Amino acid sequence: MSNLRLRVISAIVLAIITLGLTWLGGLPFRLLCAVIVAAIFYEWTRMSRPAGATGLGFVPEALLVVFIGALIAGLAASWLLPLVVVMVAATALAASVRKAGPWDASGLAYAAVSGLSLALLRDGDRSGLVAILFLFAVVWATDIFAYFVGRAVGGAKLAPSISPGKTRSGALGGAVGGVIAGLILAAAAGVGNLALVGLVALVLSIVAQAGDLFESWVKRRHGHKDSGALIPGHGGVMDRVDGLVAAAFALYVIGWISATADHPAQGLFPV
C-alpha cells in the first residue's frame, strides 16, 4: 500500500472516530482527551529524554496518571487547573534538584493543558458541541488551505529555520480558509454575532499555525523528523494535533473570559 493511500485511510478513520466521540460528548470524549494527553506526553519524552536516562524515574508518569484519572472523572476546572500547576511545579522542582533538565515539566504542562482545554470546551451541552466542531472546522481548514495555497503560490518562507516547507502565502491562505470554514459552521449552527465569530476564527487560525511551528521547533531541537510513529502514514499524534491543541487552549481562554472556566463554550456559542 502506498504511503499516500495509507495517509488518506488513516485520516478518514481518525476523522470518523474523532467526530463520533465528539458527538457523544461526556465520558467518551473525555476518554479521547485522555488518550491525546497520554500520547503527547509519551512522544514528548521519547524525543526529549536522552537514551537510557533515568532522570526523574516515574514521577512525571505517576503525576500524569493522576491527572488523566481526574480528567476522565470529569472534575471541575477548579480542581483540574490547580492540579496541573502542582504537578508541573513538582516535576520542575524535582528536575532542578536532580539536574534532569526542564523538558519533562514542560511536556506535562503541554499535554495536560491540551487535554483539559478540549475536555472543558466540549462539556456536555450543545454549546460545547458547536465549540469543538467550530474548532475542528477552523484548524482543519487552516491546514488544508495552507498546504494547497502554499503549493500553488509559493513565495517567501514563513519560518525557514524551523519549518522550511511553510510559506507566507500558505499561512495567509490558511488564515482565510480557517475564517471562512469557521463562519460557515457558526452560521449553520445558528450562532449570532458572526463578526465576533470571524475574529475568533482568525485568532484560532493564527494560533494553530503557531502551534504547528512550535512542535516543529521541538522536533528540530531534539533532532527528530516526526514526533512518533503511532499513526500509520502520518507519524505521531503530536504531528496531527499540534495546531489543534494550541487553538483549543486559545479558545478555552477566550471562552473562560467570556463565560466561566467550567463552561467556556456557553459564552461564545450560546445556542
Side-chain angles (χ1 to χ4, degrees):
M1 183 181 296
S2 68
N3 188 60
L4 177 60
R5 181 176 297 181
L6 189 60
R7 287 176 63 88
V8 171
I9 292 174
S10 295
I12 292 173
V13 171
L14 287 173
I16 291 173
I17 293 173
T18 300
L19 291 173
L21 295 175
T22 300
W23 178 266
L24 291 173
L27 178 59
F29 188 77
R30 292 198 301 273
L31 288 172
L32 172 63
C33 294
V35 170
I36 291 173
V37 170
I40 287 176
F41 188 68
Y42 166 76
E43 292 179 350
W44 182 285
T45 54
R46 173 184 170 274
M47 289 191 294
S48 64
R49 285 177 178 171
T54 55
L56 303 178
F58 291 103
V59 171
E61 284 80 359
L63 291 171
L64 189 74
V65 169
V66 172
F67 174 78
I68 287 175
L71 189 69
I72 293 174
L75 294 189
S78 57
W79 287 94
L80 292 175
L81 289 169
L83 178 58
V84 173
V85 173
V86 169
M87 69 183 194
V88 171
T91 303
L93 179 60
S96 177
V97 170
R98 300 191 184 186
K99 299 182 174 12
W103 288 100
D104 275 12
S106 55
L108 268 179
Y110 183 58
V113 167
S114 298
L116 179 151
S117 300
L118 288 167
L120 293 178
L121 274 171
R122 175 59 183 92
D123 201 11
D125 55 19
R126 188 167 184 268
S127 291
L129 175 62
V130 173
I132 292 294
L133 293 179
F134 174 80
L135 176 70
F136 288 165
V138 172
V139 174
W140 292 350
T142 295
D143 286 345
I144 293 169
F145 275 75
Y147 176 78
F148 284 105
V149 172
R151 288 286 296 270
V153 178
K157 300 298 183 181
L158 179 63
S161 63
I162 299 174
S163 185
K166 290 180 172 57
T167 61
R168 295 177 185 177
S169 63
L172 179 59
V176 172
V179 171
I180 292 172
L183 287 173
I184 292 174
L185 188 286
V191 177
N193 200 352
L194 292 182
L196 176 60
V197 169
L199 179 60
V200 172
L202 177 60
V203 170
L204 296 187
S205 180
I206 294 171
V207 171
Q209 296 187 63
D212 192 349
L213 289 174
F214 169 72
E215 197 248 356
S216 295
W217 174 80
V218 172
K219 289 189 294 186
R220 185 173 290 271
R221 170 67 174 74
H222 295 290
H224 286 262
K225 181 178 181 297
D226 296 317
S227 64
L230 294 175
I231 305 176
H234 287 268
V237 172
M238 283 179 63
D239 294 323
R240 296 301 95 205
V241 304
D242 47 10
L244 178 69
V245 296
F249 178 63
L251 185 59
Y252 175 72
V253 172
I254 294 170
W256 183 355
I257 294 170
S258 61
T260 68
D262 283 315
H263 308 288
Q266 292 180 4
L268 293 168
F269 306 101
V271 293

